[in-house]
Structures are given as C-alpha cells and as structure tokens.
C-alpha cells in the first residue's frame, strides 16, 4: 500500500461513494469524467483551475498526535479572571453520554417534533431551570452567548418602547447601561446601538436620576456586577418602571441559588450564561446563554421556545412553539436574526442541574461563597497594604492597593511565575473570582503569591491558615438572600445517581433521529459527516480549560490553530482578512453588514442604507439587514430561480445613491449557479457605490472550484457548522466567521479584552470572546488538515455529483423546480410538491411520511412554499442515496394510490403519518391500509426501523395554550 493512499485515507472515509460508485453515477449522468461533469455545471469563467495552496492531507493518526501536541502548547494556569468565564466540572456521565455521543451531536434542529422528542424534553428542562432560577415566567431554549443575549434583550425593550412611548419620538432613543457590566457585553451593546441608531449612556446606576429627561427605553444592570459587588436595585427599579422604562438584568445563574432572583424584584428581562453549569471555558465557547422574561415580552422573545402540546392521539409531547418568529417566515419583520442557538451546551447545562438537583447546586454555590469569604479573611489578616472593598459579594473579591509598599507589578510577575491569573482593573485594583473547582489548597496558593510580594513569614502564615475558621454568615445582605424555592419539578430530583441519569439520557436519545440512523438531506444545511477524529480535541484538558482573556503566551496552541485556520480559509475564499467572532452564520451576516456600514461611514456616505436582497435569500439575510439599521429592498427572481437582472437594474437606478449592499447566496438558494454572468451583477453594484455580500451557506458547492473573492464579492461569511464539519448539535453550536477583501480589513470586528489588536478603523464587537466559540475551531482545522487541497476539492465535486445523480433519478416522478447550465443543479435540488394539493396532499404530509421510512425530511417550504430542497452532501454513499431515492419514489407511488382512488384524500398513509409503535401495536386499528404498509413500506425498512415516539403533531394547534416550562 503506497504512502499516498495512506495519506488520503481520511478523504476515502469522509466521502461516501467509492471510485466504482462515482463511475456508475457519472454513467447515469452521461458524463465521461468528474471534470466533464463540473464543466457542465459550473460556468467556465468562474472556475478556479489551480490547486489550493494549503498543506497536503495528513494521515488520521498523525493528525491526532499533532493536535494533542499542539494542545500541550496551551498553558493551563489557575484562572481567577472571572468576567463571565469560570472553571467548571463536567460530570463524566454528561461528557461521555452527550458531548461525545454522535446521537446527540449529529442531530438537526428539532423542527420535526415527532423524531426530536428527546432533545425537546431536555430543552424544556433547560427552560424550566432558567425560569425557576431567574424568577421569570418564560425562557427561551438558549442564546449564542451572554453579550448577544444582552443585545437582543435591549432590542426587545426597544421594540416594546416604540409602542408605549410615542410622545418622545422626536428625541433619539437612549439605552442606559451600568458602568459595572462586563466590558465585552458593553462593547457588543455599543455595536448594536450603533447599528440601530440608539444612543447608549454608560454611568453608575446611582446616577440614573440625572438622565430622566432623555428618551430612555431601557436600563441594563449587573447582579452581581463585573467587579463582584451585589447591589440592592429594588428602589431604583420601582422608580424607572413608573416611567415605562424596561429593566434588563445580567446575572450569574449559579449565584441565584443564594440571591433573590431578579424576577422577584420586578425585572423585565434577565440574561446570562450557563457556562458555569458544567461547560468548559474552551477559550471562549461554545456555551449556552439564556434569556428569560415575563408574559409582556413573550412575542418579542428571540430564539426558540419549546412548548408542551399533544399529538393526534392526545398523547402529551413537546414541540417548538411560537414558530412565527422564525426568520424564514418573518424575514425583515423579525425581532432578531438568531438562527443557530446553543442546543448541545444547553442540554449539557440542563443535565448538570438534573445531576446535582436544587440542593446540590446550592451546596456548590455555598461552597464557592465560603471559600471566597475565607480568601478575603486570610488575605486581610496576613497581607499588609491591601484592602477588600466589596461590601457584598458572591464569588468575587475586589482588592485595592492602599500602600505604596505593595506592588501590583510585582504581584503580576509572581503570579505568572506561579501559573496564576487574576483580573487587573488598573494600577491599584484587581479582582479574584473563585469557582466550583476552588479548594482550600487554592486559597493557600493565592495568599502565598501575595505573601511573596513582600516576603512575609511563610511558617507563621501556614499556622494561621490551618487554624482559620470562617463563620457561616454570608457576605450577602439578608434582604437579598433567596427565600423562594426553585427546581421543584420531579425531573430535578430523580437523577442524582449516575445510573439513573445515564438511563434518562439514553431514554431521551432513543427518541431522536440523527446521522447515526440515516442521512439528513436538508438543503442548505449540509448535514455531512462529523468525523470522530475531528472531535477528539474537545475532550483534551489543554483545549477545554483555557480562559478567553488569558494572556496570549498561555494560548500558543490556540494561536497556532487560529492562525493556520485563518490562512486556509483565506486561501479557500480568496479573501485577505477574517474575523472568527461570529458564533453563527446569522451572526456572521450581521457582522459583515456592520463592517460594510462602518466602511460607508468612514467614506462619509452615511446615506447608504439600502440592502438589496433577492426574494430567494435565506430568511436571516433581511433580518440581519434590519439589525444593522438598513432598509431592505427585495429583488425579484426569475422563473428559473436566478436573480431578475431587469428588476435589479430597476432597483439600482431607483436607489443609486443609497445602495449599501447587495446580499447574494451563491450558488443561489434555489440550488443553481446563476444563469447570467455573476461578475456582471457584482459590477453593477460596484459601479453604483455599493458592496456585495455573499451568504456562504452554500460554500460546499465552491471549495476548491470557485473563490468568491475572485468573482468580485467584497465579503462573505462561512458556516463552519455546515461546510467545514462542525456538528449541528441539535441546533447549535455553530460558527460563522467573516472573510473580507483588502479594503474592508481595517473595519473587521475588534474586542475590548484582546491582547493583540491590529490597526483598525472601527469599534465593532460581535461576541463575548475574541474568537467566538474557539474550542470548536479545532474541528474545522482538523477537517482541512486531514483532507488537504485534493480532498477538499473532491468533497465539492462529489457533493455536486450526488445532487445531480438524485435529480436524474427523481426527474420522472417529481418536477425539479430549477435547473441551471446544461440542465444541471448545484449541490442541492428542489422538488415541486405543489401539484399534489389537488388531492389534498401537502408537502408536510410527505415530510411526515418520510419518518416512517426512518428519514428526516429535506428542507420544506423554503425557499419555495410547497417544495422540498434536498442536499445529499459528499459524505453519503451511493447505497444510502439509492435508499433515499427509493423512499421518494415509493411515496410518489403512495400518492398515485390516492390519485387512483384506492385510498381517500383524508384516510391514507401520508395524512396519518408518522405511525408510532403505540399506534401500530394498539387494539383499535381502523385504517384502510395494513399495519405493515404503515410501518414497513419497503423491505429494508424492517431491518433499519426507527420508531417515532409519538404520532403526528398538528401544526395548527395554537401557541397561546402551550406550556413552556415543566409542570
């Protein structure tokens, strides 16, 4: 076996069809070779014909050794920096059975409730946990990070205020922010305010009384503050509420086991992070942020809400509620552009709460508080020249240097030598934040560092430390101590033993369909293989346990991976600058549009605020444009799915001096490369002063064959959780870095706590950490390193092959809605199901019936109502693709049976699908078809059967009566 074969073996494992299969599929398509196929699909003038300039593929086991050694370059210091990130302990039962379990990390967003009941129940637990701890009525099923949750909360208050305070419309709307919130949260709020035209005021909450004359719609408070102090906000809140000002609070979720929750002192919206609930810091993420609120704001709540419902047979079940908020429906009317959430980390956090229960969580919080009190006591009784100035605190003390003989510079040097990080506020102050991993040994270590500054008597200190006992009294005022109960639902009391929690996790797991069962052919979502070797680094301590605000020399492993990944992605796209801050594709869109907005502002072209967006674009495109303060103008698409160039020219002429950006998806969302010259379209916009943004959702049809920068695009985002193999995790985490042309590089996002800013011309900050969800960047790095330039190109080629093979096989049974050059499609295809409406069959009926075959449906009713968008990806084998083709053909035959009158329009296998095991084994079978036809429509289904745990959930059931917490 030659070395070249060994080196490429990962490519052979990632790509589904064998060389023999590829040749057979090419024959079906009447193509002589893969090059012949590509020439028939992609216009000649846009093909990139050189080899990508990235390293050749590395053998799988060599890569594993490489990433392990690279991880060792990261130095794990004891981190007491705080700022929303803490060391935490992931229970092994959760790490093993959820984080490292492909049944959990390869599933898709739970839009199809019947095959997502496990995730939905776990997310309902998450919502209940957040609502209980915050004292609010309703919570969503996670946000991207704490800072973006704060920004979305501000937007909720802004939207609410528009309806209430119409009298002050003549004044610019203002948002008041406490000067003691996290600096990264303030920067993200500042960016959002800039986009929306809101004036942000930053001051002490004690000075709020001086701003009553301003048109303030919301106030943002921190509880505890970033400096550790706990304030009593009750009087302030009552005063501002009388003026119809919304109160938003950011909080530490673990502290709320001890502190009176914000909901009990009349806060309107509460946000924060669940990272301390067993989620590793990972140099910034991923972790699940939360947003909870009261009934008044329910319809403005961003993200996803899980509700309790009933299926067709009145069986209790769960489904996504309030779905009209989803962007593909609301588009430019959306109140948020959040698309990917953080489902997998949210489920881990909820399981952490189940594992420990309310008493366990309180014990952890009290233990942290006890150690913090002891640290304060020992420091103040042994170290001269310092004081602790927080009157009240939970886990953070604030040290003030009060004498010149105590040197903070010396403390910095000693702490670095002793592998310890503190947060230095200025030349006279620092904070120390403890966490659930902190022990007596850690306290001793911290105090020893302070001792070494002045060279005090160590033996005397050691004796004092051993004899020190701390009283049980909290450093939390009595009026703030929590008196209400929380987590009273039985689910938080049942699973404290590992055996029971493991079984519960497995019971939920069995209710969910994932890539472990069958292909998930969702168009534009690219549900490809998430290889095990790509994910191994997620469990390595050196990758998991690095604080995002650690000095750069402690994160050399991360620095290497991020720099290399930046090089590779710039080479793949042809762009020259990149930012990894965005935590999702939608956040990438927003970041890119803010870059363009700032660029126009720099050129003194503030009037450019029009975003031209094709009607076929992703729903998050117009939502992102609205968040960036732009006005959306829709461009029509032609019958063949391409941009209507005449309408584009008309709109360009109409808005010539106001055009900011044209947002395009390429290949188009309709599954084709545009039939006109894409470069001409781009030139039209450039000639009229605008920029052109490429939505990178369909990058899986470009890598190695097309470079978007070479086409003339100015900016694009990349969905690393699609094209570059980061798992979807049931709806998140994701990553959406943006790549830009040279003229936009100075306008890329920065971060207030990054140690290595380059020269920039903006103050944009998009997420809580400098590199977004940094931990999962190692996955995309692995994907590129193990595939190399040849493997990456082949992935694109095979994705195009698989889609066109499916098109050819299905064209006699379904109308293929759009085709491009030479009657070919790109990496996805749309089948038209609207002709079945005449016999009462809707596209949703086909989707439900596919569950009986053991498949998740393709994307339905997007981008075209009543149609299905199918993307087989390169990872699926010919055998699996042929099975899915058989499913579509057999369902078409079932539709023929209705057309011929064998089954009625109301009573047939499609209308009653899916058929649960309960239904099929029950005594009352009163359907006109057999149980076998319902359960095993094809012979091979019996061997691979996946049973939906419930029957059909009717989408027509209203949202108003849904219960969104455990009852």
């Amino acid at each position: 076996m030659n070395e070249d074969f060994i080196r490429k073996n990962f490519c052979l494992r990632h790509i589904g069809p064998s060389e023999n299969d590829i040749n057979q599929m090419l024959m079906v398509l009447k193509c002589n070779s893969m090059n012949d196929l590509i020439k028939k699909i992609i216009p000649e003038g846009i093909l990139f014909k050189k080899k990508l300039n990235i390293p050749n593929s590395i053998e799988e086991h060599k890569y594993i050794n490489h990433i392990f050694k690279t991880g060792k370059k990261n130095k794990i210091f004891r981190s007491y920096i705080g700022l929303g990130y803490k060391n935490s302990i992931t229970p092994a039962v959760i790490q093993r059975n959820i984080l490292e379990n492909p049944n959990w990390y390869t599933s898709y967003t739970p839009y199809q409730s019947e095959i997502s009941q496990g995730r939905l129940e776990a997310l309902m637990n998450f919502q209940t946990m957040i609502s209980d701890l915050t004292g609010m009525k309703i919570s969503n099923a996670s946000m991207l990070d704490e800072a973006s949750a704060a920004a979305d909360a501000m937007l909720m208050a802004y939207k609410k205020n528009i309806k209430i305070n119409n009298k002050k419309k003549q004044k610019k709307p203002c948002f008041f922010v406490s000067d003691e919130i996290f600096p990264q949260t303030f920067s993200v709020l500042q960016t959002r305010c800039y986009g929306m035209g809101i004036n942000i005021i930053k001051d002490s909450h004690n000075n709020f009384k001086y701003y009553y004359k301003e048109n303030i719609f919301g106030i943002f408070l921190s509880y505890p503050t970033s400096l550790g102090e706990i304030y009593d906000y009750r009087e302030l809140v009552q005063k501002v509420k009388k003026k119809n000002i919304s109160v938003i609070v950011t909080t530490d979720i673990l502290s709320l086991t001890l502190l009176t929750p914000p909901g009990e002192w009349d806060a309107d919206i509460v946000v924060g992070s669940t990272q301390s609930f067993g989620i590793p810091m990972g140099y910034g993420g991923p972790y699940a942020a939360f947003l909870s609120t009261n009934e008044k704001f329910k319809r403005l709540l961003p993200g996803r809400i899980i509700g309790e419902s009933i299926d067709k047979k009145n069986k209790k079940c769960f489904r996504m509620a309030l779905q009209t908020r989803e962007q593909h429906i609301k588009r430019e009317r959306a109140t948020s552009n959040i698309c990917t959430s953080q489902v997998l980390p949210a489920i881990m956090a909820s399981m952490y709460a189940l594992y420990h229960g309310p008493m366990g969580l309180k014990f952890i919080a009290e233990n942290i508080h006890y150690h913090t009190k002891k640290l304060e006591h020992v420091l103040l009784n042994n170290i001269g020249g310092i004081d602790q100035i927080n009157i009240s605190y939970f886990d953070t003390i604030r040290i003030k240097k009060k004498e010149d003989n105590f040197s903070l510079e010396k403390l910095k040097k000693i702490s670095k030598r002793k592998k310890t990080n503190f947060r230095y506020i200025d030349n006279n102050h620092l904070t120390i934040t403890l966490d659930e991993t902190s022990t007596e040994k850690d306290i001793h270590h911290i105090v020893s560092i302070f001792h070494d500054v002045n060279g005090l008597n160590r033996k005397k200190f050691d004796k004092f430390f051993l004899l020190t006992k701390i009283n049980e009294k909290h450093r939390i005022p009595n009026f703030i101590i929590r008196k209400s109960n929380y987590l009273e639902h039985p689910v938080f009391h049942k699973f404290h033993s590992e055996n029971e929690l493991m079984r519960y996790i497995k019971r939920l797991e069995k209710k969910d369909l994932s890539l472990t069962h069958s292909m998930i052919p969702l168009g534009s979502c690219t549900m490809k293989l998430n290889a095990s070797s790509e994910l191994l680094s997620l469990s390595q301590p050196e990758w998991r346990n690095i604080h995002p605000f650690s000095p750069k020399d402690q994160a050399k492993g991360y620095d290497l991976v991020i720099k290399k990944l930046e090089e590779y992605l710039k080479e793949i796209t042809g762009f020259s600058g990149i930012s990894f801050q965005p935590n999702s594709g939608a956040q990438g869109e927003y970041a890119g549009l803010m870059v363009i907005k700032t660029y126009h502002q720099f050129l003194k072209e503030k009037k450019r605020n029009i975003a031209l967006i094709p009607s076929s674009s992703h729903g998050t495109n117009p939502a992102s444009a609205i968040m960036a303060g732009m006005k959306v103008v829709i461009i029509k698409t032609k019958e063949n799915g391409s941009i209507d160039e005449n309408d584009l020219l008309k709109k360009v002429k109409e808005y010539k001096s106001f055009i900011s950006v044209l947002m395009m998806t390429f290949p188009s969302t309709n599954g084709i490369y545009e039939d006109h010259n894409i470069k001409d379209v781009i030139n039209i916009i450039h000639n009229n002063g605008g920029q052109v943004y490429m939505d990178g959702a369909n990058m899986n049809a470009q890598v190695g064959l097309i470079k978007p920068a070479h086409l003339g695009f100015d900016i694009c985002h990349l969905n690393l959780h699609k094209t570059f193999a980061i798992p979807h995790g049931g709806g998140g985490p994701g990553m959406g870095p943006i790549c830009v042309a040279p003229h936009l590089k100075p306008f890329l996002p920065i971060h207030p706590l990054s140690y290595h800013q380059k020269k920039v011309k903006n103050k944009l900050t998009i997420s809580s950490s400098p590199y977004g969800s940094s931990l999962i960047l190692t996955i995309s790095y692995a994907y590129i390193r193990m595939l190399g330039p040849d493997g990456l190109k082949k992935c694109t080629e095979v994705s195009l092959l698989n889609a066109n093979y499916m098109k050819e096989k299905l064209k006699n049974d379904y109308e293929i809605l759009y085709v491009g050059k030479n009657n070919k499609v790109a990496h996805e295809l749309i089948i038209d199901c609207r002709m079945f409406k005449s016999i009462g069959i809707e596209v949703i009926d086909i989707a439900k019936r596919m569950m009986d075959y053991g498949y998740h449906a393709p994307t339905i009713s997007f981008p075209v109502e009543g149609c299905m968008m199918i993307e087989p990806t390169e990872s699926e084998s010919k055998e699996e693709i042929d099975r899915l083709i058989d499913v579509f053909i057999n369902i078409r035959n079932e539709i023929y049976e209705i057309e011929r009158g064998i089954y009625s329009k109301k009573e047939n296998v499609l209308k009653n699908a899916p058929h649960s095991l309960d239904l099929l084994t029950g005594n009352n079978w009163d359907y006109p078809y057999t149980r076998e036809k319902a359960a095993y429509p094809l012979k091979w289904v019996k061997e691979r059967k996946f049973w939906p745990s419930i029957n059909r959930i009717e989408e027509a059931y209203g949202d108003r009566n849904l219960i969104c917490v455990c009852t």
Side-chain angles (χ1 to χ4, degrees):
M1 189 176 291
N2 63 45
E3 185 181 341
D4 190 51
F5 177 84
I6 294 172
R7 199 160 39 80
K8 291 180 179 177
N9 65 3
F10 178 78
C11 180
L12 298 177
R13 291 182 184 130
H14 176 83
I15 291 174
S18 66
E19 288 301 318
N20 186 50
D21 292 334
I22 288 171
N23 290 331
Q24 289 181 33
M25 295 161 85
L26 287 169
M27 286 176 63
V28 170
L29 296 172
K30 298 181 173 58
C31 292
N32 300 322
S33 65
M34 189 68 83
N35 285 338
D36 184 27
L37 174 66
I38 299 306
K39 286 178 182 177
K40 289 180 178 178
I41 297 173
I42 301 177
E44 178 71 19
I46 67 173
L47 265 174
F48 176 71
K49 296 179 180 178
K50 295 180 181 178
K51 186 175 180 178
L52 287 172
N53 185 24
I54 60 176
N56 286 329
S57 60
I58 183 173
E59 192 180 343
E60 198 167 348
H61 83 273
K62 287 182 180 178
Y63 171 78
I64 293 168
N65 290 334
H66 160 70
I67 199 67
F68 180 79
K69 289 177 182 176
T70 304
K72 292 292 183 183
K73 294 178 185 291
N74 295 322
K75 300 173 184 175
I76 302 180
F77 279 34
R78 286 296 295 153
S79 180
Y80 305 104
I81 296 170
L83 285 172
Y85 296 91
K86 305 174 189 177
N87 294 293
S88 64
I89 300 169
T90 308
V93 62
I94 295 173
Q95 178 172 327
R96 177 94 179 205
N97 292 290
I98 294 180
L99 176 64
E100 297 172 353
N101 184 345
N103 286 313
W104 285 98
Y105 66 69
T106 70
S107 54
Y108 185 61
T109 307
Y111 291 122
Q112 291 196 279
S113 306
E114 296 87 348
I115 50 176
S116 305
Q117 286 298 296
R119 266 166 296 145
L120 289 167
E121 183 173 333
L123 291 174
M124 177 69 100
N125 294 341
F126 177 85
Q127 290 176 180
T128 305
M129 173 186 83
I130 298 301
S131 292
D132 278 10
L133 289 171
T134 60
M136 304 304 287
K137 290 291 184 183
I138 191 167
S139 169
N140 66 12
S142 86
M143 301 291 286
L144 298 176
D145 65 10
E146 184 168 354
S148 59
D152 274 328
M154 179 194 70
L155 189 57
M156 288 168 64
Y158 175 67
K159 293 279 187 181
K160 197 74 173 176
N161 178 268
I162 288 172
K163 298 175 183 177
I164 296 172
N165 292 342
N166 290 322
K167 293 177 182 177
K168 293 184 179 179
K169 272 191 174 179
Q170 67 275 15
K171 281 191 173 184
K172 191 171 184 178
C174 298
F175 186 61
F176 183 91
V177 177
S178 163
D179 60 2
E180 292 187 50
I181 69 167
F182 295 139
Q184 69 270 25
T185 300
F186 174 74
S187 291
V188 171
L189 285 168
Q190 193 175 34
T191 300
R192 191 71 65 91
C193 285
Y194 164 55
M196 297 297 295
I198 296 168
N199 185 34
I200 191 166
I201 301 168
K202 184 181 182 184
D203 202 346
S204 167
H205 69 278
N206 291 318
N207 293 334
F208 185 76
K209 57 192 173 187
Y210 301 121
Y211 298 96
Y212 278 127
K213 290 183 180 179
E214 301 295 332
N215 183 16
I216 294 176
F217 63 85
I219 180 171
F220 191 83
L221 304 170
S222 187
Y223 178 76
T225 73
S226 67
L227 301 173
E229 187 68 70
I230 304 171
Y231 294 113
D232 180 6
Y233 294 117
R234 291 175 297 179
E235 185 179 342
L236 172 63
V237 168
Q238 292 310 309
K239 286 180 180 178
V240 301
K241 297 278 280 194
K242 288 177 182 177
K243 296 183 177 293
N244 286 324
I245 295 171
S246 300
V247 177
I248 305 170
V249 178
T250 180
T251 189
D252 180 321
I253 194 69
L254 189 57
S255 76
L256 297 184
T257 61
L258 304 181
L259 307 182
T260 300
E264 291 182 18
W265 39 267
D266 216 15
D268 291 298
I269 308 170
V270 184
V271 300
S273 160
T274 60
Q275 186 267 314
S276 60
F277 275 32
I279 312 299
M281 291 183 290
Y283 205 45
Y287 64 87
F290 64 84
L291 193 158
S292 57
T293 188
N294 52 40
E295 290 286 334
K296 287 191 303 184
F297 287 87
K298 182 168 72 172
R299 291 281 162 178
L300 295 170
L301 193 62
R304 299 175 181 128
I305 303 175
I306 310 307
E308 185 180 303
S309 188
I310 54 171
D311 72 5
K312 199 172 182 181
K313 295 296 181 180
N314 292 317
K315 183 179 179 181
K316 174 186 167 183
C317 58
F318 305 100
R319 73 170 175 87
M320 288 178 62
L322 300 173
Q323 291 187 68
T324 53
R325 179 180 22 264
E326 292 299 320
Q327 283 69 44
H328 62 274
I329 297 171
K330 295 195 81 171
R331 297 174 69 81
E332 63 267 30
R333 294 179 294 107
T335 56
S336 168
N337 77 332
I338 184 171
C339 187
T340 306
S341 58
Q342 300 283 18
V343 171
L344 194 68
I347 288 170
M348 290 175 66
S350 74
M351 292 298 177
Y352 179 91
L354 264 63
Y355 188 58
H356 291 291
M359 295 307 295
L361 292 178
K362 188 173 184 179
F363 173 81
I364 292 169
E366 287 181 332
N367 199 42
I368 293 170
H369 187 59
Y370 170 82
H371 283 125
T372 311
K373 286 191 299 177
K374 184 164 184 177
L375 175 61
E376 177 194 27
H377 180 80
V378 176
L379 277 174
L380 295 185
N381 283 277
N382 284 272
I383 309 298
I386 64 169
D387 198 5
Q388 198 290 117
I389 59 176
N390 280 341
I391 298 169
S392 306
Y393 57 77
F394 164 57
D395 62 3
T396 300
I397 57 174
R398 183 169 22 158
I399 303 298
K400 179 183 179 182
K401 168 191 166 185
K402 63 180 184 179
E403 294 178 9
D404 290 338
N405 64 345
F406 188 88
S407 169
L408 281 190
E409 283 304 314
K410 192 172 181 181
L411 182 74
K412 286 181 184 179
K413 291 177 182 177
I414 295 169
S415 63
K416 182 178 181 180
R417 190 176 72 239
K418 293 199 168 188
K419 296 187 175 181
T420 305
N421 293 326
F422 303 124
R423 180 194 174 195
Y424 299 96
I425 311 298
D426 53 37
N427 292 331
N428 296 308
H429 298 83
L430 75 149
T431 60
I432 304 172
T433 300
L434 302 189
D435 54 59
E436 74 165 312
T437 68
S438 301
T439 62
E440 297 275 318
K441 185 178 178 182
D442 292 312
I443 297 170
H444 188 280
H445 175 74
I446 291 168
V447 180
S448 74
I449 294 171
F450 279 78
H451 257 288
D452 289 352
V453 173
N454 290 340
L456 299 176
N457 189 315
R458 177 64 66 82
K459 287 184 179 179
K460 184 179 176 182
F461 157 65
D462 288 344
K463 185 177 180 181
F464 175 87
F465 186 85
L466 287 170
L467 295 174
T468 297
K469 300 294 180 186
I470 304 299
N471 63 45
E472 292 301 315
K473 189 177 179 181
H474 289 98
R475 284 300 300 273
I476 302 169
N478 284 332
F479 57 82
I480 295 179
I481 292 176
R482 182 167 193 151
K483 298 176 179 64
S484 58
N485 295 328
Y486 51 88
L487 305 187
E488 293 186 288
H489 190 275
V491 75
F492 296 102
H493 297 264
K494 287 181 178 180
F495 308 115
H496 303 331
S497 76
E498 179 168 333
N499 238 358
E500 288 304 314
L501 183 62
M502 177 184 68
R503 288 168 183 159
Y504 179 64
I505 291 170
K506 289 296 175 183
R507 283 199 299 275
L508 297 188
E509 178 188 314
K510 288 177 181 177
K511 295 178 181 181
D512 284 16
L513 186 138
S514 72
L515 283 174
T516 63
H517 300 96
S518 56
M519 73 184 289
I520 299 178
L522 287 147
S524 220
C525 288
T526 317
M527 296 290 289
K528 62 167 70 178
L529 171 71
N530 312 122
S532 300
S533 55
E534 294 164 356
L535 306 176
L536 289 177
S537 55
L538 303 189
S539 298
Q540 189 179 344
E542 287 82 1
W543 294 110
R544 290 164 57 90
N545 298 326
I546 304 293
H547 194 288
F549 309 139
S550 300
K552 190 178 179 182
D553 62 0
Q554 294 173 26
K556 289 183 178 178
Y558 269 111
D559 193 47
L560 185 149
V561 165
I562 290 169
K563 279 184 176 176
K564 289 295 182 185
L565 186 57
E566 181 177 344
E567 287 175 18
Y568 303 156
L569 295 178
K570 286 195 292 188
E571 170 63 16
I572 287 166
T573 61
F575 287 111
S576 63
I578 192 165
S579 170
F580 286 105
Q581 274 194 41
N583 284 312
S584 76
Q587 203 178 49
E589 292 169 17
Y590 167 67
L593 292 172
M594 289 303 295
V595 166
I596 290 170
K597 183 186 185 82
T598 309
Y599 170 70
H600 286 310
Q601 296 266 5
F602 177 76
L603 296 179
K604 295 183 169 44
E605 295 186 327
K606 294 182 180 181
K607 63 183 180 180
R608 291 195 174 274
N609 69 335
I610 296 292
L612 302 173
I613 302 179
S615 58
S616 63
S617 72
H618 287 110
T620 48
N621 286 183
S624 297
I626 294 298
M627 280 177 54
M630 296 181 182
K631 180 182 176 183
V632 173
V633 173
I634 300 298
I635 305 298
K636 296 176 184 176
T637 49
K638 295 188 292 188
E639 286 187 7
N640 69 354
S642 294
I643 288 176
D644 187 329
E645 208 163 339
N646 290 330
D647 191 53
L648 175 65
L649 289 168
K650 177 185 172 184
K651 300 289 171 58
V652 167
K653 185 177 180 181
E654 183 178 355
Y655 298 103
K656 180 174 182 177
S657 301
F658 302 94
I659 295 170
S660 174
V661 62
L662 168 67
M663 295 188 79
M664 289 184 64
T665 305
F666 189 79
S668 81
T669 313
N670 291 326
I672 57 168
Y673 298 93
E674 298 287 338
D675 65 344
H676 44 64
N677 190 333
I678 189 68
K679 294 181 180 179
D680 289 343
V681 172
I682 292 170
N683 286 335
I684 290 169
I685 302 301
H686 284 165
N687 292 338
N688 287 277
Q691 299 287 287
V692 187
Y693 181 101
M694 191 195 85
D695 183 317
N698 292 340
M699 196 67 197
N700 214 46
Q702 290 195 54
V703 178
L705 297 178
I706 299 169
K707 289 192 176 188
H710 290 185
L711 304 182
F713 287 105
D714 300 290
I715 188 168
C716 78
H717 82 264
L718 302 173
N719 295 89
L720 299 189
H721 52 287
K722 295 182 182 181
T723 305
F724 295 95
I726 292 175
H728 280 62
M735 278 292 280
I738 54 171
C739 306
V740 300
H743 65 285
L744 294 178
K745 277 179 72 176
F747 305 94
L748 282 169
I750 60 170
H751 197 278
L753 296 172
S754 176
Y755 288 87
H756 38 91
Q757 299 293 354
K758 298 173 184 176
K759 288 184 179 179
V760 293
K761 296 176 181 176
N762 77 87
K763 291 183 179 179
L764 301 180
T765 305
I766 303 301
S767 64
S768 290
S769 68
Y771 302 104
S773 296
S774 310
L775 179 61
I776 56 176
L777 292 176
T778 59
I779 301 169
S780 297
Y781 174 74
Y783 175 80
I784 294 171
R785 284 298 284 113
M786 288 192 285
L787 282 170
D790 295 328
L792 288 169
K793 181 183 176 183
K794 188 164 186 178
C795 285
T796 307
E797 291 173 338
V798 175
S799 71
L800 297 174
L801 171 67
N802 285 352
N804 279 278
Y805 174 74
M806 282 199 74
K807 170 198 163 289
E808 194 66 22
K809 287 287 189 175
L810 291 177
K811 69 180 183 182
N812 294 328
D813 293 282
Y814 296 89
E815 181 182 336
I816 310 302
L817 194 58
Y818 301 119
V819 292
K821 180 185 173 185
N822 296 314
N823 205 33
K824 296 289 188 289
V825 295
H827 66 312
E828 57 194 12
L829 62 144
I830 297 175
I831 61 171
D832 196 340
C833 303
R834 291 172 294 187
M835 67 281 295
F836 307 135
K837 283 189 173 186
S838 61
I839 58 165
I841 296 299
E842 303 283 347
V843 67
I844 190 69
D845 299 317
I846 298 173
K848 303 282 189 186
R849 179 56 172 158
M850 287 184 71
M851 299 179 201
D852 287 328
Y853 291 80
Y855 281 92
H856 193 292
T859 305
I860 62 171
S861 293
F862 176 81
V864 183
E865 185 70 29
C867 298
M868 282 187 166
M869 182 164 58
I870 306 167
E871 181 181 355
T873 84
E874 74 276 6
S875 293
E876 298 302 338
S877 66
K878 180 177 180 295
E879 182 182 10
E880 179 70 358
I881 292 170
D882 285 338
R883 269 194 293 269
L884 184 61
I885 290 167
D886 287 346
V887 169
F888 277 114
I889 292 172
N890 205 57
I891 288 175
R892 183 67 185 94
N893 290 333
E894 291 172 345
I895 295 172
Y896 280 131
E897 290 174 340
I898 301 166
E899 289 172 335
R900 293 198 296 267
I902 298 173
Y903 299 104
S904 74
K905 293 180 181 179
K906 292 185 178 180
E907 284 298 327
N908 55 70
V909 284
L910 282 89
K911 282 294 181 186
N912 293 320
H915 300 80
S916 70
L917 187 60
D918 286 350
L919 182 68
L920 286 156
T921 56
N923 294 326
N924 300 318
W925 183 262
D926 54 359
Y927 299 106
Y929 47 87
T930 66
R931 297 178 201 247
E932 186 171 9
K933 181 180 179 68
Y936 305 123
L938 291 168
K939 286 183 180 179
W940 52 259
V941 173
K942 192 172 289 188
E943 299 170 7
R944 303 161 58 92
K945 183 67 181 177
F946 177 86
W947 291 102
S949 59
I950 57 171
N951 302 293
R952 181 182 292 219
I953 298 178
E954 295 293 353
E955 304 300 324
Y957 292 148
D959 293 325
R960 292 183 182 178
N961 298 321
L962 283 170
I963 299 166
C964 297
V965 294
C966 296
T967 56

